[in-house]
Every structure is written in structure tokens, then in C-alpha cells.
């Protein structure tokens, strides 16, 4: 087993494609495939499952890559310290539901750990895709929520994918509204008081089940309902149409300004927001730093 083989395996996992990884590594696809096969035979494990549709990471492979990343990171530190080599670009990716604190934490991560070169990704995406991204190691960490309604479905998907959920915080539901909304002056809002205002929610695409909704109380009917794909559009509609959405109440004024405010919603539900990762994989340096940044972001 060589350091080069470990780097090859990591690149294949990052790209999700043997062909794309070969291009990035400037080697032929057959050479890369043979190197990965030799590594798997030596270790007597299957790192990547191969089908007609492409490759996917196995459970054994996810565990192996957790260790491989640590070895490569330490080797790069040694090279930079003793060989005066140029540090390799840092890699890290996170997939998340549309939370401002997740973006805030990402900003803080880049400011603290960013170097001259890095290749990072922040994917605000759909609930099902978050789970798939982490399962395939397209992202090291995913951020989503559990509650009494969706926990059974989401936990089954996580278990089947070999993933674990770690709680960040539990919150009472709030609505996000414009400061000009007539409800903005209230200390608490009821469901009935929201009936005449447009309800805004995030589109979940092909997996548009109530259990994958980013908003709790997803089974309620609404007289006025609008689905959007991104947080900027949703916030514009909150202001332009006096709409509302249901979320955690955690909002970043630094990133989103003071035009949107949270108001507590009168209901008995709770929202358990947390991060998901592979059960048997140790977080990379940037992964661990991002989790720390998440805790700092929600504490402010």
C-alpha cells in the first residue's frame, strides 16, 4: 500500500467517477482502475462497488477512506515541514438544508483555515440528496433536522447508508417573516393567524415526501403556498409578499441583514438539528473544525 494509492482512492471518492478522477490526476483511467484494484486486493476489501451505472463507495470503503484521509493529511504536513514542498489544496465539502448558521460556520472555517489554495464546497440542497451526498462521500458532513414526525423515515435511511446523526441543538419552531409583516409586532403567532399569508417552503424534487420537508408541520394545508429552490428567493418573497416559512428561529443578521426576523410559533413540536457523517469514519481536520464552527455559530 502506497501513499499514492491512498491519494488515488480519495480522489475517486471525491469525484464519484473513475474517469473524472483520472482526468484530475493526469493519468489514464485504466492505470487508475488497476491501482485501485491492486489496493483492494492487498487490503482484501472492496472500496468501490462497480455497476453498469458507475461506482459507489462501499461501507468498508467509507471506513477505509476515513483513515486514508488522516494518513494523507499527516504526510502533507511532513512534506510541507521538511521538504519545503508546496502544500496540497485542502478539500472539504458539506451538504445542508437551508440554514444561515451553516453558511456562517462555513465562512468562519474558510477565514480561519483557508490557505493560498483550497477546493471547498457548500451545497444547500434537498434532504434526500444530503443523505446521498454523505453516503457517497461527495460531502463529509450533512446538516438536517429530525422531529417526531420524520425521525422514523430519516433514521432508517441513515442506518441503511451507514450514517449517524449527531445533535447540534433542539429548538422550538419559529416563523421567519419580514419586519414589515403585521405579525412582526407579536411575541408569538398561532397557526390560525397565518392562514391569510403565503406559506413558503423549499422544493424537494423527486423525493417530495412530507417526511423530507425542511419545514415541520408539513402535512398542514395552506390557502396560499409557494415552493422555492434557494434561500435568497425565499427571503425575497418573505419581504415582497409578506410570506412566512417555518424554521428553527436561528438567523444570522451578519449574512441576512435585519429585514427578516424570527417569531415563536405556538405549537408543541420541537426541531432537533444536527449533522450526519459515516459511522466508522474519523472526521478530517477541516471536518472537525467545521463542526466546532457550527457550535460557535449557533451560540452567537
Amino acid at each position: 500500500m502506497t501513499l499514492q494509492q491512498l491519494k488515488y482512492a480519495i480522489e475517486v471518492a471525491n469525484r464519484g467517477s473513475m474517469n473524472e478522477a483520472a482526468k484530475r490526476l493526469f493519468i489514464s483511467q485504466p492505470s487508475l482502475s488497476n491501482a485501485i484494484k491492486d489496493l483492494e486486493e492487498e487490503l482484501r476489501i472492496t472500496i468501490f462497488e462497480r455497476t453498469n451505472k458507475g461506482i459507489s463507495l462501499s461501507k468498508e470503503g467509507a471506513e477505509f477512506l476515513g483513515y486514508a484521509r488522516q494518513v494523507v493529511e499527516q504526510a502533507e504536513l511532513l512534506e510541507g515541514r521538511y521538504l519545503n514542498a508546496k502544500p496540497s489544496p485542502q478539500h472539504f465539502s458539506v451538504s445542508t438544508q437551508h440554514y444561515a448558521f451553516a453558511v456562517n460556520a462555513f465562512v468562519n472555517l474558510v477565514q480561519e483555515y483557508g490557505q493560498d489554495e483550497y477546493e471547498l464546497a457548500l451545497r444547500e440542497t434537498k434532504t434526500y440528496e444530503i443523505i446521498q451526498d454523505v453516503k457517497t462521500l461527495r460531502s463529509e458532513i450533512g446538516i438536517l433536522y429530525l422531529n417526531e414526525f420524520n425521525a422514523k423515515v430519516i433514521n432508517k435511511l441513515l442506518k441503511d447508508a451507514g450514517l449517524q446523526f449527531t445533535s447540534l441543538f433542539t429548538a422550538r419552531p419559529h416563523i421567519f417573516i419580514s419586519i414589515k409583516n403585521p405579525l412582526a409586532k407579536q411575541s408569538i403567532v398561532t397557526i390560525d393567524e397565518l392562514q391569510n399569508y403565503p406559506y413558503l417552503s423549499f422544493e424537494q424534487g423527486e423525493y417530495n415526501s412530507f417526511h423530507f420537508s425542511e419545514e415541520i408541520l408539513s402535512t398542514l394545508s395552506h390557502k396560499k403556498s409557494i415552493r422555492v429552490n434557494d434561500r435568497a428567493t425565499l427571503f425575497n418573497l418573505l419581504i415582497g409578499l409578506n410570506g412566512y416559512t417555518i424554521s428553527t428561529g436561528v438567523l444570522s443578521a451578519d449574512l441576512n441583514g435585519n429585514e427578516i426576523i424570527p417569531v415563536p410559533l405556538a405549537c408543541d413540536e420541537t426541531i432537533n438539528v444536527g449533522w450526519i457523517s459515516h459511522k466508522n469514519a474519523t472526521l478530517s481536520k477541516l471536518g472537525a473544525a467545521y463542526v466546532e464552527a457550527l457550535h460557535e455559530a449557533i451560540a452567537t
Side-chain angles (χ1 to χ4, degrees), residues 42-217:
E42 180 181 354
L43 298 176
R44 297 180 181 177
I45 65 171
T46 298
I47 301 174
F48 298 102
E49 302 284 357
R50 297 158 177 86
T51 68
N52 292 334
K53 296 181 179 180
I55 62 169
S56 61
L57 193 65
S58 69
K59 289 185 178 180
E60 288 180 316
E63 182 177 5
F64 166 76
L65 284 175
Y67 290 109
R69 291 181 194 277
Q70 293 181 69
V71 172
V72 170
E73 286 177 356
Q74 293 301 315
E76 290 174 348
L77 287 174
L78 287 171
E79 290 174 356
R81 174 67 177 83
Y82 294 104
L83 300 180
N84 198 27
K86 181 181 178 181
S88 299
Q90 299 182 91
H91 295 267
F92 175 70
S93 177
V94 58
S95 295
T96 176
Q97 292 177 330
H98 299 78
Y99 296 125
F101 70 83
V103 179
N104 206 13
F106 192 85
V107 170
N108 292 338
L109 176 77
V110 176
Q111 290 177 339
E112 183 169 356
Y113 290 93
Q115 54 187 37
D116 290 340
E117 292 186 32
Y118 51 76
E119 186 173 328
L120 310 178
L122 173 62
R123 303 186 70 244
E124 285 193 339
T125 188
K126 302 172 179 64
T127 303
Y128 184 84
E129 291 180 3
I130 293 170
I131 297 173
Q132 292 303 304
D133 283 353
V134 180
K135 176 183 177 181
T136 60
L137 281 186
R138 181 179 187 183
S139 288
E140 183 176 356
I141 289 173
I143 302 172
L144 46 74
Y145 82 90
L146 297 178
N147 73 339
E148 186 176 359
F149 176 72
N150 74 0
K152 185 175 182 180
V153 171
I154 298 297
N155 279 329
K156 184 180 186 306
L157 285 174
L158 297 180
K159 181 180 180 181
D160 291 345
L163 307 180
Q164 63 186 359
F165 176 90
T166 303
S167 178
L168 283 169
F169 65 93
T170 299
R172 290 286 182 180
H174 289 63
I175 60 167
F176 286 164
I177 55 176
S178 164
I179 58 173
K180 296 179 181 179
N181 190 300
L183 300 175
K185 297 178 181 179
Q186 298 186 195
S187 59
I188 193 167
V189 172
T190 66
I191 296 293
D192 289 341
E193 290 176 306
L194 295 169
Q195 290 303 310
N196 292 322
Y197 295 91
Y199 168 67
L200 308 176
S201 62
F202 288 107
E203 174 67 44
Q204 294 300 317
E206 180 182 354
Y207 297 91
N208 203 26
S209 161
F210 290 132
H211 295 96
F212 294 123
S213 173
E214 289 192 40
E215 302 80 22
I216 68 166
L217 306 174

Side-chain angles (χ1 to χ4, degrees), residues 264-278:
L265 180 63
C267 76
D268 295 329
E269 297 276 351
T270 57
I271 307 169
N272 185 7
V273 180
W275 55 279
I276 61 173
S277 62
H278 274 274

Side-chain angles (χ1 to χ4, degrees), residues 228-245:
V228 300
N229 282 315
D230 64 89
R231 190 156 42 91
T233 299
L234 182 138
F235 278 13
N236 286 337
L237 295 179
L238 291 183
I239 296 172
L241 297 178
N242 265 342
Y244 74 95
T245 191

Side-chain angles (χ1 to χ4, degrees), residues 177-180 239 251-261:
I177 55 176
S178 164
I179 58 173
K180 296 179 181 179
I239 296 172
L251 197 59
S252 172
D254 291 340
L255 294 177
N256 303 115
N258 298 307
E259 293 296 309
I260 305 296
I261 62 169

